[in-house]
Amino acid sequence: MAALPILRFPDPRLHTVAKPVDCFDEPLRQLVRDMAETMYTAPGIGLAATQVDVHQQVIVIDTSDAHNRLQVFINPEIISASTDAKVYEEGCLSVPGIYEEVERPDRVRVRAFDEHGREFTYDAEGLMAVCLQHEMDHLKGRVFVQYLSRLKQTRIRSRMLKQDREVA
Ligand code: QAP
Ligand code: CO
C-alpha cells in the first residue's frame, strides 16, 4: 500500500472529468487500497480518484468516528435527491486550511458499484450526503470552491499559491 500525492487547488488537473471504470480487476482494487491509505494518512473523510490524478470514477469515504468503516463508490450516479437543501461547512484535502459553507440537497439516493463490481444503492443523509456529493463533484472536475463567489474564489486561489511558494 502507498499513500499517493494529493493535487492541490488550483491545479488544472483537478478539473479533469473522470471516465467510468469498465474493468473490476486487481489494479482497481490496488487503487482503492492506495486511496484509502491516502485518505486515512491525510487524514480526511473522503477522497476522489481525481485528487490523486487518476481520472476514473472511484471514491472512498469513511465518516465513522473510529475510521474503520471504509465505503467505496465506483461509477456512482445520483438517482434521486431531496428538494430540501442544507448548508454545511465543507473542506477538502485539495484545498487545505479552507472551510466554506456550501448548500446541497439534504438527502441523496446513489447507485454505484463496489470494488468487486457488485451494484448497490445507497441512501445518504447528513454528513454522508454532503461527502458523497462533494466527492462526485470531483469526478466531474468540480471543486467546492467553485460554488463560492468570484471574490472568495480569487482570494482562495491566491492564498493557495502563496502557501505553495512558502513550502517550495
Ligand atoms: C469532503 O473532506 C467533505 O482543510 C472531505 O487542512 C468535507 O476529508 C465532505 C481536510 C466536509 C463533507 C464535509 C481538510 C484535512 C480534510 C483540510 C476532507 C485540512 C486537512 C477534508
Ligand atoms: Co474534496
Side-chain angles (χ1 to χ4, degrees):
M1 295 227 285
L4 307 167
I6 299 175
L7 298 180
R8 289 163 57 95
F9 184 81
D11 191 310
R13 290 172 290 181
L14 284 171
H15 305 300
T16 312
V17 177
K19 292 190 172 64
V21 167
D22 55 14
C23 195
F24 293 82
D25 54 5
E26 197 44 45
L28 172 71
R29 287 184 281 277
Q30 185 60 48
L31 170 66
V32 167
R33 286 193 289 271
D34 289 344
M35 284 176 60
E37 184 171 347
T38 307
M39 174 180 73
Y40 288 126
T41 303
I45 59 168
L47 185 75
T50 311
Q51 294 177 273
V52 293
D53 204 21
V54 175
H55 303 290
Q56 296 187 49
Q57 296 179 14
V58 180
I59 290 169
V60 293
I61 294 179
D62 188 341
T63 58
S64 71
D65 291 331
H67 309 292
N68 58 358
R69 292 261 188 285
L70 183 69
Q71 289 178 286
V72 179
F73 295 86
I74 297 171
N75 301 349
E77 275 183 82
I78 292 186
I79 48 181
S80 63
S82 62
T83 47
D84 49 316
K86 268 221 173 74
V87 172
Y88 200 96
E89 187 169 88
E90 298 189 16
C92 181
L93 288 172
S94 294
V95 202
I98 306 287
Y99 301 89
E100 292 285 348
E101 290 190 337
V102 175
E103 185 177 275
R104 301 181 189 269
D106 185 30
R107 282 164 285 124
V108 287
R109 172 168 292 171
V110 171
R111 189 185 307 124
F113 295 85
D114 70 12
E115 66 272 41
H116 303 286
R118 293 184 290 240
E119 192 176 339
F120 62 96
T121 54
Y122 186 86
D123 286 307
E125 60 179 329
L127 176 62
M128 188 64 200
V130 176
C131 197
L132 255 173
Q133 293 175 83
H134 174 114
E135 302 309 337
M136 286 179 69
D137 273 351
H138 277 302
L139 300 182
K140 293 171 204 133
R142 190 167 240 273
V143 180
F144 82 106
V145 168
Q146 295 175 271
Y147 289 105
L148 309 175
S149 68
R150 279 277 150 209
L151 177 62
K152 278 191 176 173
Q153 289 189 42
T154 306
R155 284 181 179 157
I156 291 168
R157 186 179 297 267
S158 22
R159 204 177 311 165
M160 296 299 298
L161 292 171
K162 180 162 177 276
Q163 268 185 30
D164 289 347
R165 284 198 302 276
E166 284 165 1
V167 171

